[in-house]
Amino acid sequence: MESISEFMQELAKRTPRQLLTPDQQLDKMFRSSAYLKAFQAEHPALTRDDYLRSLSSIYTAVKEQYWCERCPGLKECPNLVKGHSTQLEVAHQNIVSSITPCSKQLAHEEEVRRRRLMRSYYVSEETLNASFEGMVIDTDNLASVEAAVQFCEKIGTGERVKGLYFHGPFGVGKSYIMGAIGRELSEKNVASLLVYVPDFIREMKDSISDQSYAGKLELLKEVPVLILDDIGAENLTPWVRDEILGVILNQRANNHLPTLFTSNYSLEELQEHLSISNGNRIEQTKAARIMERIRHFVDVYEIRRQNHRASSK
């Protein structure tokens, strides 16, 4: 059986005087293309004249199927429309063609859609690519994973859903579970925003001079599901506590929008962290006000297990 690559190489080498006739081209494509043979078998009523009338479309489809079978990857796709291939169809006894996305293009589009729904500030690729399917579950994180799955199941049902507060030592998988929640929500068409709090707070401080921080706050106040990763690790100031965290959490609580947290601190330790102000003053009342917007709106889970980052080194 003559290969389709040999056929295309032969066409490329021929001068205009040596070009194959339409009949010769069609015969060679039938001999070399398994795709065209399968199409012919599916449509036995088609005549040779039907094929000759659509020779240009047939050649494009045969050539693109050849490249798809030897796919060099989405970025290097040589087809006319990257990530797509020409497919032959029959309409009213005529052979016509259509452009169809390949599986790699569909996967790329799904990833783009997911990333639009699952936005993030300063979150690692590991967290963004997390999934429940790829998660290691043991007795130490089972309760938190079950709570995460239940949260995803309830979102979008119209039922009011409490947020989650995961706390525990470094490297126990708190952020990974939150990333899995974000991915699961994106598959349910629920938008979420994952924010690594220390870096986000640093950006907000840098935005004070041009007042651009106000616009950035709006997204955190209004996104359907907000995930604040590593709260308590930020460099705290009264402005951060009262004008950033306080404003965000107050509006989300008033609008019944769930907020999820990870922290190295328990709720009691977080309140202590939030109570420290400039000049080492203790501001218990302001800290308690923030905690009221956390404590009563989350279910709390402690995760204590081996540091998987350290054990993987």
Side-chain angles (χ1 to χ4, degrees):
M1 177 178 171
E2 183 179 356
S3 73
I4 188 65
S5 61
E6 291 172 347
F7 165 60
M8 290 193 293
Q9 289 170 6
E10 181 180 347
L11 280 184
K13 291 177 181 177
R14 287 177 177 268
T15 65
R17 290 184 179 182
Q18 298 174 315
L19 287 178
L20 298 176
T21 66
D23 277 301
Q24 289 173 324
Q25 291 184 43
L26 184 60
D27 287 338
K28 278 186 169 287
M29 284 191 286
F30 271 126
R31 288 198 299 270
S32 60
S33 174
Y35 170 77
L36 187 57
K37 285 185 175 182
F39 178 81
Q40 184 184 41
E42 290 178 13
H43 305 282
L46 292 174
T47 67
R48 186 172 182 84
D49 285 340
D50 294 330
Y51 284 94
L52 289 171
R53 280 196 301 270
S54 301
L55 191 62
S56 177
S57 295
I58 292 171
Y59 174 74
T60 300
V62 166
K63 179 179 67 174
E64 294 193 351
Q65 288 300 318
Y66 165 80
W67 285 117
C68 287
E69 291 168 5
R70 297 156 181 79
C71 179
L74 195 57
K75 288 185 179 180
E76 304 300 325
C77 176
N79 288 351
L80 184 63
V81 179
K82 193 179 293 292
H84 295 69
S85 65
T86 299
Q87 302 285 334
L88 298 177
E89 300 172 355
V90 176
H92 308 295
Q93 198 58 24
N94 292 315
I95 300 174
V96 296
S97 62
S98 63
I99 304 296
T100 303
C102 68
S103 59
K104 288 184 174 63
Q105 176 65 24
L106 292 173
H108 171 71
E109 291 173 0
E110 172 62 21
E111 180 66 13
V112 170
R113 184 195 69 82
R114 185 179 72 81
R115 288 298 177 95
R116 277 201 198 103
L117 288 170
M118 187 180 167
R119 290 169 289 185
S120 66
Y121 275 117
Y122 306 108
V123 176
S124 71
E125 281 297 312
E126 180 187 15
T127 299
L128 291 176
N129 292 325
S131 68
F132 289 118
E133 289 77 12
M135 191 175 298
V136 177
I137 302 175
D138 53 37
T139 55
D140 293 317
N141 70 354
L142 177 60
S144 56
V145 172
E146 288 180 340
V149 171
Q150 290 174 7
F151 175 87
C152 294
E153 290 175 348
K154 290 179 181 178
I155 284 290
T157 63
E159 178 183 349
R160 284 189 185 177
V161 183
K162 293 181 74 173
L164 298 169
Y165 187 95
F166 293 162
H167 69 100
F170 293 105
V172 296
K174 303 184 297 292
S175 300
Y176 192 92
I177 298 174
M178 291 300 183
I181 290 174
R183 172 181 285 273
E184 188 72 16
L185 293 179
S186 71
E187 294 176 358
K188 295 176 177 289
N189 291 316
V190 177
S192 65
L193 175 64
L194 286 79
V195 178
Y196 181 63
V197 175
D199 283 346
F200 177 72
I201 293 301
R202 194 174 300 118
E203 178 182 323
M204 298 301 281
K205 289 178 179 178
D206 292 340
S207 303
I208 293 175
S209 59
D210 60 9
Q211 297 296 307
S212 63
Y213 73 88
K216 296 172 183 177
L217 277 183
E218 289 306 309
L219 177 58
L220 276 74
K221 292 191 289 186
E222 298 174 0
V223 68
V225 177
L226 175 63
I227 302 174
L228 296 178
D229 187 28
D230 214 2
I231 189 170
E234 72 284 345
N235 186 11
L236 188 71
T237 67
W239 180 77
V240 168
R241 180 191 58 213
D242 303 332
E243 302 301 326
I244 302 298
L245 294 176
V247 169
I248 292 169
L249 297 178
N250 185 65
Q251 181 155 334
R252 294 189 64 81
N254 290 340
N255 292 330
H256 307 291
L257 296 173
T259 306
L260 289 68
F261 305 83
T262 74
S263 181
N264 297 127
Y265 292 150
S266 66
L267 290 181
E268 292 72 22
E269 292 168 334
L270 182 63
Q271 180 161 345
E272 182 179 350
H273 168 75
L274 293 173
S275 68
I276 298 175
S277 188
N278 284 346
N280 293 323
R281 288 184 294 123
I282 304 300
E283 295 188 329
Q284 294 287 1
T285 301
K286 291 185 176 180
R289 188 177 297 126
I290 298 289
M291 294 306 299
E292 285 295 303
R293 292 292 179 253
I294 299 177
R295 183 176 283 109
H296 298 298
F297 296 91
V298 296
D299 291 323
V300 181
Y301 294 87
E302 182 178 15
I303 303 176
R304 289 202 172 274
R305 58 202 295 250
Q306 183 180 4
N307 185 329
H308 72 89
R309 293 177 191 155
S311 61
S312 63
K313 292 181 180 179

